[in-house]
Amino acid sequence: MFAYIVRRLALMLVTLVGISIIIFVLLRVVPGNIVDILFDAAGFVDPTDKANLEKELGLDLPIYQQYLNWIGGLLHGDLGYSYVSEKPTLQEILPRIPITAKLAGLALLFSASIGIPLGVLSAVHQGSRLDYTMRVVSLSGLSLPSFWLGLLILMASVSLFGHMPIYNPNPKTWTEAFAIYAVPAMAVGFRSAALTMRITRSSMLEILRQDYIRTARAKGASETSVNYRHALKNAILPVITVIGIEAAFLIGGLIVTETVFNIPGVARFLVEALRWRDYPIVQNLVMLIAVVVVVANFTVDMLYAAIDPRIRYGD
Amino acid sequence: MRSVQALAAAVLLLLPAYDVASAGEPKQGGILRVYHRDSPGSASIHEGATFSINVPFMPVFNNLVMFKQDVAQNSADSIVPDLAESWAWSNDGKKLTFKLRQGVKWHDGKPFTSADIKCTFDMLMGKSQQKFRQNPRKSWYNQVEDVTTNGDFEASFSLKRPQPALLSLLASGYTPVYPCHVSPADMRTKPVGTGPFKFVEFKANESIKLTKNPDYFKKGLPHLDGIEFTIITNRSTAILGFVSGKFDMTFPTEVSIPLLKEVKSQAPNAVCVVEPVNVSTNIIVNSSAPPFDNIDIRRALALVLDRKAFVSILYEGQADIGGTMLPAPGGLWAMPKEMLESIPGYGPDVNANREEARKLMQKAGYGPDKRLAVKVATRNIPIYRDPAVILIDQMKSIYIDGDLDVVDTAQWFPKVARKDYSLGLNLTGNAVDDPDQSFYENYSCGSERNYTNYCNREIEKLFDEQSMEKDAAKRKKLVWEIDKKLQEDVARPIILHSRAGSCWQPYVKGITIMVNSSYNGYRYEDVWMDK
């Protein structure tokens, strides 16, 4: 087990180095840089000013030199300066992380707490009206883009309550503080909840047909015990896998949700930084996301072993 | 006709004054909450070229002179002192001297003196040790030879030749005075000014906060305690925010005509106005390469335009047709209607124009069996893309098959500068409604923003002639002549001049949306809230 963990950690490191190279090169392959964008608003490009600015930002150096400078800085905890705000990258990124983390956490919580119980219910009552209703709702959840759902929520909120639950850095009450995260979390987590529900349902249906479930019932176990103690425990593995993958995919949904609800989180910041070709911000943020994804995958693998005693990671 | 225009101008001048007077005595206090359409690249007005910077940061600064903030139409007559107490031209029109206010302090407590004027304009002219990272309006000061000081409270601009319009350029929101003792880098992140509001913080993609300057040299101003701009890039969210009362005002001139209807239906009490923004939608033609090196094809292109269709489809009728200069009543320098309609392509009979265009195309060797295929390059933004699509449709009627070539924003100007296009759809904004700014910037030989490389030495002489002319009536006639010639030469066919909406809650008083510029009306020192 120990050797397996060490191997996985080494693989994680290789993956991260690979990602760092890919993102660094890709960013520079995309046409235009921050200097072009700064001049864009002026409506012309002054070649001398452009050259001076590129030199000031280190963009005139060979690409390998720029990469080494970045990685060298990263190893020393120096993430460089944002080209746009001219503030340290860390200072720009750090305050935004808790905002996105709260939103993502709530979205996953919403996804699991709604998706799993409804999936079980749907499977247990297969073919019933409840099952059909939930399948239709889950299908709509998978079909509705989160930005559209977000806009619908905002419009309904303004129309019904005359209030808009967009981000407010200084909420007056705890309910407001909760609402500014909970409402967008629901918007972004709806799709994920629908997926979780469908996976839970199909996994449960498979398990419920197993012999040991029939044995449990024959022994006189209650339906609740059969469904949740015997069936769900065994059906949960693929659901955990999906939630793990969803955690990684969530960033895509968060970009639009943060934009629609005007939340100053990491995801929206990444899009803006990309628009400005703010390389230090984009590189470091993508690396951060890569670390989160790699760690999430690692955690899911470890959870397998914890949940299913049959799984052993041999040397 | 002229008397009607004069009456319209008088009404325009009087309307805002009536608005302020009818609103009663200004109340003190309150934070004005405005949404901002995007996150500006920096806080330095001099280094920017978008009113995304002017709107939030103009309240931090003062100019030497400025356009009177409660007069909607910017003109030489609406220029008032700001940091200058008074100004005077020398008899030969080559020296402009300003007497400066005394006792003015920068927000960091340091005294303002004439040295700050010299520093600012030396930097703008590229003469000082300290440099701006970008200096997009350096060409505005091409005729300024030197800026000198006489004691702490007098500064003079010596010119190479008379240029009465210099005063208008100095009155623009683009011409604030910067402090000598703060570096350009610091001005990009923590601007220090003398203006009615002090800079508090700028969180990229989040918010910009300003607070009242209690030591403002204009006693009793500003009325507000502060201004907060919340950056909302999603237009739907922003408008919903305004409708729900989260904001006191929309971002100025950012509400499109269709959205304006939504706002009015959901917030019927909101005060909304639609005004020209002095931005023209135009066609850029690469006349240095085939097929548009052929003047007949360029002329055919000018003749094919059905401008009313553009106005009707894109702006539901709320845009103006004109030449280079912004049309009346908002604009001061536009040709009279009869003169405009005498230019090929501007006549009311579109079918006749197109028939003539087809003849020119046939003369150039094209016809129904041999159509001309061109790429229509434009930026990948709706306000660029949408008119490009209509242009492509209209060109079909004269045997030209256009293919839309959308270009990423970061690549648009480098591509245009390389002349890597045949035909393009472009937008041109003017900060000051003055021919000096428009003609030299867009049509002068060798100018960076003269994308089409149009160069006509005869017209260039006329540019200088009008620029030096002191008599406004004579200058206007010269300007009309130049504008007519530019359109006849198909230098950069103008399709339309757009308009846009601005809305604010009924309790917000003292807002005036300028009718001939989107860059000069954001000092907000007179704004107050009746609540």
Side-chain angles (χ1 to χ4, degrees):
Chain A
M1 180 74 172
F2 177 73
Y4 174 78
I5 292 175
V6 171
R7 242 193 348 261
R8 279 300 306 265
L9 286 174
L11 199 64
M12 274 167 66
L13 204 65
V14 174
T15 310
L16 290 175
V17 171
I19 291 171
S20 74
I21 294 171
I22 290 169
I23 185 63
F24 195 87
V25 174
L26 273 183
L27 264 177
R28 279 146 185 88
V29 167
V30 175
N33 60 21
I34 173 82
V35 185
D36 293 318
I37 302 202
L38 284 173
F39 279 104
D40 172 75
F44 69 93
V45 180
D46 183 313
T48 318
D49 284 356
K50 187 180 175 189
N52 288 340
L53 194 46
E54 282 179 338
K55 193 173 175 189
E56 187 188 318
L57 299 174
L59 296 169
D60 60 332
L61 297 171
I63 193 164
Y64 74 88
Q65 184 71 54
Q66 291 182 46
Y67 178 76
L68 290 176
N69 288 349
W70 172 47
I71 292 295
L74 212 58
L75 294 175
H76 290 95
D78 174 13
L79 276 62
Y81 281 75
S82 159
Y83 290 162
V84 179
S85 68
E86 299 178 58
K87 288 179 191 164
T89 301
L90 210 56
Q91 196 181 316
E92 286 283 26
I93 294 176
L94 275 184
R96 291 174 161 92
I97 292 175
I99 297 172
T100 300
K102 277 184 218 168
L103 188 58
L106 270 175
L108 280 178
L109 188 69
F110 175 80
S111 156
S113 59
I114 299 288
I116 296 174
L118 290 184
V120 172
L121 270 179
S122 192
V124 169
H125 299 281
Q126 190 194 8
S128 69
R129 204 172 284 180
L130 179 78
D131 180 31
Y132 283 118
T133 309
M134 280 193 282
R135 281 162 70 186
V136 168
V137 171
S138 67
L139 198 64
S140 63
L142 289 173
S143 322
L144 267 181
S146 54
F147 78 91
W148 178 242
L149 184 63
L151 270 180
L152 284 182
I153 292 173
L154 286 183
M155 286 161 80
S157 181
V158 170
S159 175
L160 297 174
F161 312 114
H163 171 76
M164 205 168 79
I166 61 168
Y167 185 76
N168 174 5
N170 305 306
K172 290 188 183 90
T173 59
W174 73 268
T175 45
E176 193 189 347
F178 180 70
I180 57 175
Y181 286 107
V183 177
M186 277 191 275
V188 77
F190 187 47
R191 194 199 76 90
S192 187
L195 185 67
T196 307
M197 193 224 120
R198 291 183 82 85
I199 298 290
T200 308
R201 181 181 177 276
S202 59
S203 183
M204 277 290 286
L205 283 176
E206 200 182 318
I207 297 292
L208 285 172
R209 291 189 189 106
Q210 299 290 321
D211 290 345
Y212 66 87
I213 296 293
R214 196 165 46 237
T215 309
R217 283 208 176 99
K219 276 167 61 187
S222 68
E223 271 305 297
T224 312
S225 171
V226 168
N227 293 336
Y228 290 94
R229 241 187 92 208
H230 296 277
L232 181 61
K233 204 171 172 188
N234 287 294
I236 204 82
L237 271 188
V239 179
I240 289 175
T241 312
V242 165
I243 291 176
I245 295 168
E246 277 298 294
F249 271 104
L250 206 61
I251 198 78
L254 285 180
I255 287 169
V256 282
T257 306
E258 285 188 356
T259 305
V260 169
F261 287 89
N262 209 47
I263 297 166
V266 165
R268 188 176 135 216
F269 190 52
L270 178 63
V271 176
E272 280 298 307
L274 265 171
R275 187 168 74 86
W276 284 95
R277 309 286 196 275
D278 196 345
Y279 296 157
I281 297 285
V282 177
Q283 285 160 193
N284 292 305
L285 260 181
V286 171
M287 279 310 290
L288 177 77
I289 293 164
V291 169
V292 169
V293 171
V294 168
V295 170
N297 279 334
F298 179 74
T299 313
V300 167
D301 280 359
M302 294 299 109
L303 269 177
Y304 280 170
I307 289 171
D308 190 343
R310 291 169 301 178
I311 295 175
R312 288 282 175 270
Y313 295 115
D315 294 342
Chain B
M1 182 64 200
R2 228 174 284 160
S3 61
V4 173
Q5 284 178 349
L7 182 68
V11 169
L12 274 170
L13 284 168
L14 286 173
L15 269 178
Y18 168 77
D19 182 42
V20 173
S22 64
E25 198 61 29
K27 289 180 183 168
Q28 302 295 316
I31 305 279
L32 183 73
R33 300 159 308 160
V34 186
Y35 71 75
H36 195 300
R37 64 177 186 167
D38 63 6
S39 196
S42 86
S44 179
I45 292 178
H46 282 308
E47 298 194 43
T50 159
F51 80 125
S52 287
I53 300 181
N54 292 38
V55 174
F57 295 111
M58 198 176 148
V60 175
F61 296 98
N62 290 105
N63 293 18
L64 274 167
V65 289
M66 67 170 178
F67 290 112
K68 202 164 183 296
Q69 295 293 290
D70 58 357
V71 175
Q73 191 175 44
N74 299 168
S75 71
D77 296 335
S78 72
I79 295 174
V80 291
D82 203 12
L83 280 171
E85 274 178 350
S86 62
W87 66 86
W89 284 99
S90 63
N91 287 337
D92 63 359
K94 287 169 73 174
K95 192 167 186 176
L96 177 59
T97 302
F98 293 96
K99 297 267 182 230
L100 306 178
R101 284 180 198 264
Q102 301 191 18
V104 177
K105 283 189 175 159
W106 294 101
H107 293 158
D108 58 7
K110 296 215 164 63
F112 156 77
T113 67
S114 57
D116 296 308
I117 304 290
K118 182 164 173 57
C119 275
T120 302
F121 290 94
D122 277 356
M123 229 173 353
L124 283 167
M125 291 187 286
K127 285 183 171 178
S128 65
Q129 285 285 323
Q130 296 207 89
K131 302 273 181 215
F132 287 124
R133 211 154 75 157
Q134 284 176 280
N135 190 0
R137 284 170 297 282
K138 191 178 171 187
S139 66
W140 280 19
Y141 309 101
N142 277 350
Q143 298 309 323
V144 179
E145 200 159 53
D146 201 11
V147 175
T148 53
T149 60
N150 178 18
D152 277 351
F153 302 103
E154 188 179 301
S156 299
F157 288 66
S158 301
L159 308 185
K160 294 170 192 163
R161 60 153 172 83
Q163 188 192 17
L166 178 67
L167 203 61
S168 293
L169 300 178
L170 297 179
S172 166
Y174 265 147
T175 323
V177 175
Y178 274 15
C180 265
H181 61 278
V182 182
S183 71
D186 282 341
M187 290 300 282
R188 288 195 291 271
T189 50
K190 297 181 285 284
V192 174
T194 53
F197 294 92
K198 288 182 179 184
F199 172 81
V200 177
E201 67 173 3
F202 172 19
K203 287 187 183 169
N205 299 307
E206 209 172 315
S207 63
I208 298 164
K209 287 181 183 162
L210 310 178
T211 190
K212 178 179 187 160
N213 174 9
D215 304 319
Y216 191 42
F217 62 86
K218 295 181 189 173
K219 295 299 163 208
L221 297 177
H223 303 303
L224 297 167
D225 286 338
I227 309 177
E228 281 184 18
F229 296 90
T230 303
I231 296 163
I232 304 187
T233 49
N234 186 295
R235 211 181 237 194
S236 309
T237 308
I239 291 290
L240 280 171
F242 174 74
V243 166
S244 71
K246 222 171 178 71
F247 301 109
D248 303 311
M249 192 181 166
T250 65
F251 192 72
T253 68
E254 189 60 13
V255 186
S256 65
I257 307 296
L259 271 179
L260 202 71
K261 283 185 185 166
E262 286 295 312
V263 174
K264 287 304 284 179
S265 72
Q266 292 185 51
N269 292 330
V271 180
C272 292
V273 294
V274 177
E275 303 292 5
V277 288
N278 207 347
V279 173
S280 74
T281 302
N282 53 69
I283 302 171
I284 49 173
V285 184
N286 187 353
S287 55
S288 53
F292 292 104
D293 55 346
N294 184 333
I295 182 69
D296 286 332
I297 298 182
R298 294 207 299 273
R299 283 193 179 134
L301 192 65
L303 284 164
V304 78
L305 296 174
D306 179 358
R307 292 179 171 83
K308 279 190 180 160
F310 279 94
V311 171
S312 153
I313 296 166
L314 298 172
Y315 294 93
E316 299 184 12
Q318 301 215 51
D320 303 294
I321 295 171
T324 302
M325 301 308 297
L326 179 72
L332 293 164
W333 302 94
M335 286 174 269
K337 195 170 175 241
E338 318 81 71
M339 192 172 180
L340 184 72
E341 287 188 349
S342 70
I343 300 170
Y346 280 92
D349 190 344
V350 175
N351 288 333
N353 291 341
R354 288 187 177 168
E355 191 51 48
E356 204 181 325
R358 277 189 284 271
K359 282 180 191 156
L360 286 168
M361 288 300 289
Q362 279 163 350
K363 190 179 154 200
Y366 297 97
D369 302 324
K370 192 191 172 197
R371 299 177 69 85
L372 172 62
V374 291
K375 282 201 166 186
V376 180
T378 198
R379 282 168 79 162
N380 197 8
I381 304 176
I383 49 168
Y384 282 70
R385 221 171 38 221
D386 296 348
V389 171
I390 300 174
L391 175 67
I392 288 170
D393 179 59
Q394 295 194 357
M395 288 193 309
K396 280 181 189 156
S397 63
I398 58 162
Y399 321 125
I400 300 178
D401 291 329
D403 186 16
L404 190 64
D405 176 18
V406 286
V407 182
D408 184 54
T409 282
Q411 279 302 294
W412 174 240
F413 285 112
K415 184 181 172 89
V416 168
R418 287 196 308 270
K419 297 282 174 292
D420 179 18
Y421 71 98
S422 194
L423 190 64
L425 194 296
N426 190 48
L427 264 67
T428 304
N430 295 296
V432 181
D433 184 19
D434 189 278
D436 271 21
Q437 193 247 284
S438 179
F439 290 163
Y440 286 111
E441 213 165 276
N442 302 313
Y443 301 98
S444 175
C445 305
S447 161
E448 292 100 336
R449 293 186 70 174
N450 181 357
Y451 306 128
T452 60
N453 271 357
Y454 171 80
C455 182
N456 183 330
R457 295 291 173 196
E458 289 306 308
I459 285 208
E460 197 98 344
K461 280 182 199 158
L462 290 174
F463 288 171
D464 290 343
E465 203 178 317
Q466 67 77 29
S467 175
M468 289 189 284
E469 182 57 62
K470 284 181 194 165
D471 184 320
K474 276 188 193 166
R475 187 179 178 213
K476 202 173 252 187
K477 283 198 172 157
L478 272 169
V479 171
W480 293 350
E481 200 184 312
I482 295 168
D483 202 351
K484 185 168 187 271
K485 182 76 181 142
L486 288 173
Q487 304 316 313
E488 285 169 349
D489 280 1
V490 199
R492 187 188 291 203
I494 308 291
I495 298 174
L496 57 87
H497 291 263
S498 58
R499 289 176 178 228
S502 314
C503 296
W504 53 91
Q505 307 290 0
Y507 52 79
V508 179
K509 308 290 179 188
I511 297 278
T512 303
I513 301 296
M514 304 296 177
V515 298
N516 54 348
S517 172
S518 305
Y519 298 84
N520 308 328
Y522 311 111
R523 185 78 82 223
Y524 292 141
E525 59 190 21
D526 303 315
V527 174
W528 57 283
M529 291 199 280
D530 190 12
K531 69 171 187 178

